[in-house]
Amino acid sequence: GASGSRTAPTMEEGGSTGSAASDSSTSGSGGAQQRELERMAEVLVTGEQLRLRLHEEKVIKDRRHHLKTYPNCFVAKELIDWLIEHKEASDRETAIKLMQKLADRGIIHHVCDEHKEFKDVKLFYRFRKDDGTFPLDNEVKAFMRGQRLYEKLMSPENTLLQPREEEGVKYERTFMASEFLDWLVQEGEATTRKEAEQLCHRLMEHGIIQHVSNKHPFVDSNLLYQFRMNFRRRRRLMELLNEKSPSSQETHDSPFCLRKQSHDNRKSTSFMSVSPSKEIKIVSAVRRSSMSSCGSSGYFSSSPTLSSSPPVLCNPKSVLKRPVTSEELLTPGAPYARKTFTIVGDAVGWGFVVRGSKPCHIQAVDPSGPAAAAGMKVCQFVVSVNGLNVLHVDYRTVSNLILTGPRTIVMEVMEELEC
């Protein structure tokens, strides 16, 4: 039967449709506001690039203190050592200033919110993105949407961004308004052309795209537009201390994203962004339908690496030793530990299967997938997805929430403690 599944709110809700006057970026208050938006976007990208590096180097990890586990956190003092060692800061004082910038912008916080200022001591801090407390106001949503579109457009098989001329001036990486609208609809980023146009007005208002010479608002035409920022340029943390806007001279280097790929023969890995190509989309369709099919024959999650490795067959019989109710999980003193994972889906999905109802549990985890890398294990019970409590719904609703939500999901689970 259909369960009343409440899907995550989309960006489309509450977006205004009016476009700002075309000269707002040059007028006084509009200019100041624009600079403030750019500043915020830069801090967000810089913080996110740092977060990914710290996860990769295991500076961020689950830590214990007085018998309590604090998932996904870092120790302030250790982080300052790391910043100096990696030449991101010249001395401890500067390092504290840098981290205070991230704290002021709400990107990191003390795990118990007891310290507003970042201190060079053995305190636990965490990126809000790792515990789902990051405030998703319209600004941040527009920014994250812009970043996702930029990543798609920068994939090798996409030819939308091209050098083009307008009024005798040549611009790099431009897109034509009408083609961009077609693409947004075709990619499923908007259901109608009108909706796509509203999205563009919003991206423009939030300073994510602009007309190449800043003369026009967004119009469905053959006018040329550009993304104002290169999300992929590797940021130096020291840039957080320059109050002025980032230079517009941006290079094409270090992609800011989501799929690890090793390079050289050193141990370091860089984040490569992967865009689903046609071939991968087919696989992903198989995977997606298999998540919601409930036949008792073995269902599987295809492995996220597109190698010839066989699909991971997952046992149709429940992996739980005995049924557990939501009430039991929530009983004070019950032998369960809460954990929070941030899982970044790759081109194929997230690499786990959810089953059961009220509460759902993790039935299978693809050993080579993103969920396994984040620490997910079979038999964990699902408490929340992206901040939405799911203890009282069935697995179809949970699968649906994940499949219709963003590529990065924050999941809270409960795991039975070993007696």
Side-chain angles (χ1 to χ4, degrees):
S3 51
S5 99
R6 203 188 126 192
T7 51
T10 62
M11 284 265 314
E12 263 49 71
E13 291 169 18
S16 64
T17 57
S19 84
S22 57
D23 60 352
S24 67
S25 54
T26 50
S27 67
S29 66
Q33 192 187 358
Q34 182 63 57
R35 280 190 296 281
E36 179 45 36
L37 281 176
E38 281 174 23
R39 199 70 223 111
M40 185 204 70
E42 277 302 316
V43 177
L44 284 172
V45 175
T46 308
E48 182 59 5
Q49 290 183 352
L50 176 65
R51 186 181 74 87
L52 293 172
R53 282 173 74 193
L54 295 176
H55 269 286
E56 201 175 8
E57 305 217 358
K58 304 276 185 282
V59 178
I60 292 179
K61 56 186 181 195
D62 296 357
R63 296 166 186 273
R64 283 184 79 74
H65 181 64
H66 291 322
L67 303 180
K68 187 171 168 188
T69 299
Y70 295 86
N72 288 330
C73 60
F74 59 88
V75 177
K77 198 172 170 53
E78 282 178 20
L79 180 68
I80 290 176
D81 296 338
W82 186 91
L83 291 172
I84 291 171
E85 187 189 325
H86 287 77
K87 305 208 169 20
E88 286 287 359
S90 50
D91 53 79
R92 303 190 85 77
E93 196 183 332
T94 310
I96 292 170
K97 272 196 195 129
L98 289 170
M99 296 315 291
Q100 189 59 49
K101 279 271 187 224
L102 295 181
D104 293 344
R105 292 277 179 169
I107 289 170
I108 59 168
H109 66 128
H110 174 249
V111 289
C112 306
D113 288 315
E114 282 161 15
H115 302 271
K116 279 274 172 279
E117 53 289 336
F118 191 83
K119 305 189 177 99
D120 185 359
V121 290
K122 289 187 174 169
L123 282 174
F124 291 169
Y125 287 81
R126 191 185 286 131
F127 278 80
R128 287 189 180 277
K129 216 159 164 197
D130 280 332
D131 59 15
T133 60
F134 196 71
L136 286 176
D137 58 15
N138 288 341
E139 232 95 279
V140 175
K141 282 188 196 158
F143 163 79
M144 285 160 90
R145 186 69 179 272
Q147 184 202 329
R148 193 175 84 213
L149 294 174
Y150 185 84
E151 281 297 333
K152 277 185 166 183
L153 289 169
M154 292 298 285
S155 69
E157 70 274 10
N158 195 309
T159 55
L160 227 60
L161 297 185
Q162 295 287 347
R164 298 182 177 91
E165 268 188 30
E166 189 167 295
E167 296 184 343
V169 184
K170 192 164 189 187
Y171 301 94
E172 287 299 310
R173 280 189 270 174
T174 67
F175 56 86
M176 194 183 288
S178 55
E179 282 184 9
F180 189 55
L181 292 172
D182 290 339
W183 178 81
L184 286 170
V185 174
Q186 183 192 320
E187 281 291 309
E189 291 288 344
T191 46
T192 61
R193 226 184 142 77
K194 186 167 185 297
E195 196 181 288
E197 204 169 339
Q198 287 173 0
L199 170 59
C200 292
H201 286 312
R202 204 153 61 250
L203 292 174
M204 196 120 172
E205 271 165 51
H206 288 288
I208 291 159
I209 60 174
Q210 64 181 13
H211 174 250
V212 287
S213 62
N214 251 333
K215 285 184 188 149
H216 300 277
F218 189 85
V219 194
D220 182 355
S221 60
N222 57 3
L223 287 171
L224 303 181
Y225 295 82
Q226 286 170 313
F227 275 78
R228 290 183 69 116
M229 66 187 292
N230 173 357
F231 291 94
R232 294 181 162 200
R233 180 178 66 83
R234 176 72 173 266
R235 281 20 180 213
R236 302 285 313 170
L237 278 176
M238 286 304 288
E239 293 175 35
L240 292 173
L241 301 181
N242 309 340
E243 276 313 320
K244 50 184 202 318
S245 246
S247 68
S248 54
Q249 259 334 89
E250 296 204 303
T251 53
H252 234 5
D253 61 354
S254 164
F256 156 66
C257 239
L258 296 162
R259 182 81 173 264
K260 287 185 182 166
Q261 174 177 305
S262 46
H263 57 84
D264 309 342
N265 293 324
R266 295 200 307 267
K267 277 189 23 208
S268 74
T269 55
S270 72
F271 280 83
M272 285 295 293
S273 75
V274 166
S275 154
S277 66
K278 300 293 170 285
E279 175 197 6
I280 300 177
K281 270 191 187 131
I282 298 160
V283 180
S284 115
V286 173
R287 161 72 163 276
R288 293 187 162 197
S289 61
S290 73
M291 279 194 70
S292 50
S293 69
C294 56
S296 59
S297 59
Y299 50 85
F300 63 89
S301 57
S302 57
S303 107
T305 46
L306 286 173
S307 58
S308 52
S309 63
V312 181
L313 276 162
C314 123
N315 183 354
K317 230 170 80 235
S318 172
V319 289
L320 300 178
K321 297 187 192 74
R322 61 182 182 81
V324 173
T325 64
S326 300
E327 289 65 41
E328 191 179 331
L329 287 179
L330 298 174
T331 308
Y336 295 97
R338 266 181 197 238
K339 292 193 166 177
T340 304
F341 305 125
T342 300
I343 306 167
V344 178
D346 62 13
V348 190
W350 294 267
F352 65 94
V353 175
V354 181
R355 279 293 175 268
S357 176
K358 307 178 187 182
C360 304
H361 62 271
I362 304 299
Q363 174 77 2
V365 178
D366 180 333
S368 61
M376 183 174 277
K377 300 184 176 76
V378 294
C379 297
Q380 288 170 336
F381 294 98
V382 187
V383 178
S384 71
V385 176
N386 296 333
L388 204 62
N389 185 311
V390 293
L391 279 170
H392 303 288
V393 299
D394 72 357
Y395 72 88
R396 288 190 191 81
T397 308
V398 173
S399 294
N400 213 1
L401 264 176
I402 294 166
L403 293 171
T404 54
R407 175 152 138 188
T408 300
I409 53 174
V410 177
M411 282 185 71
E412 197 182 357
V413 301
M414 283 184 127
E415 176 177 290
E416 192 161 9
L417 295 168
E418 302 294 322
C419 333

